[in-house]
Amino acid sequence: MAELQTAIEQMADVGPAVSVFGSARIRPASPYYAKSTAITSALAKAGFAIISGGGPGIMEAASKGAFEAGGQSVGLNIKLPHESTHNAHQTHSLDFRHFSPRKSVFFMYSMAYVVLPGGFGTLDELFEALTLVQTRKLRPAPIILVGGEFWGGLIDWMREQLLPHGTIGPGDLDLMVIEDDPARVVERVIAFHGQHPIAALRPPQAQAATK
């Protein structure tokens, strides 16, 4: 609770934000690193804050794109054995020891989610976003998967296994979209924000916690 309260206080001046998820193990030479930087640079120039995990890989690329574009770059840093330092491209640097409050901050402050290739942690964040939107614990939000080659097999599996078994509803796969073009990712976020500006308001739990 103390970590969450501190985060709410530090996030008070952050505007409409987009969370970017992806692996810490993606190298700068990867095309996905470049796509992450391009997406967050364009989003920052359009007035969106960028929230990332604060570590290396895709998280570093996301922070770098926003930071170098002169935007707000929020790093939700967590100390892990294989990620001993957080990246230097942050205007807001928050430190966590626990995953639970860290994830809460992602979902409290984001009006869209951009998901690049990643491992278990990225999958955890993706499926939590889907679950929260599906169950209406979050307002509707774009959930954009970047990389058709990477994500296509997972979507096919859900279509072939989850839908026939009835474990998800007929429209649940429509909660996310695959997009390879960084410009189209940015267009989708901007269009959604224009149609649903309420999704960018400070969340009720954050408002209550600061009173």
Side-chain angles (χ1 to χ4, degrees), residues 11 14-21 43-44 46-51 104-114 129 133 138-144 175 185-203:
M11 295 286 285
V14 173
V18 177
S19 278
V20 179
F21 302 132
L43 286 172
F48 296 95
I50 299 299
I51 305 175
S104 295
V105 173
F106 276 121
F107 298 116
M108 286 169 60
Y109 288 92
S110 300
M111 49 75 59
Y113 306 92
V114 176
V133 173
L138 285 180
R139 298 185 181 102
I143 301 173
I144 306 170
L175 295 175
V185 174
V186 176
E187 288 171 7
R188 286 182 180 276
V189 173
I190 292 174
F192 180 85
H193 182 254
Q195 296 167 3
H196 305 84
I198 192 172
L201 296 177
R202 191 60 65 233

Side-chain angles (χ1 to χ4, degrees), residues 164-184:
H165 284 86
T167 56
I168 61 173
D172 285 344
L173 289 180
D174 296 332
L175 295 175
M176 56 188 158
V177 62
I178 293 178
E179 187 59 73
D180 284 300
D181 182 0
R184 286 287 299 137

Side-chain angles (χ1 to χ4, degrees), residues 72-113:
Q72 292 179 310
S73 172
V74 180
L76 306 185
N77 310 291
I78 189 162
K79 188 172 181 58
L80 299 172
H82 59 283
E83 294 174 33
S84 58
T85 60
H86 41 272
N87 71 68
H89 311 288
Q90 301 178 24
T91 59
H92 296 65
S93 183
L94 288 71
D95 295 318
F96 295 86
R97 289 192 303 154
H98 305 286
F99 274 110
S100 180
R102 179 176 179 258
K103 284 205 298 182
S104 295
V105 173
F106 276 121
F107 298 116
M108 286 169 60
Y109 288 92
S110 300
M111 49 75 59
Y113 306 92

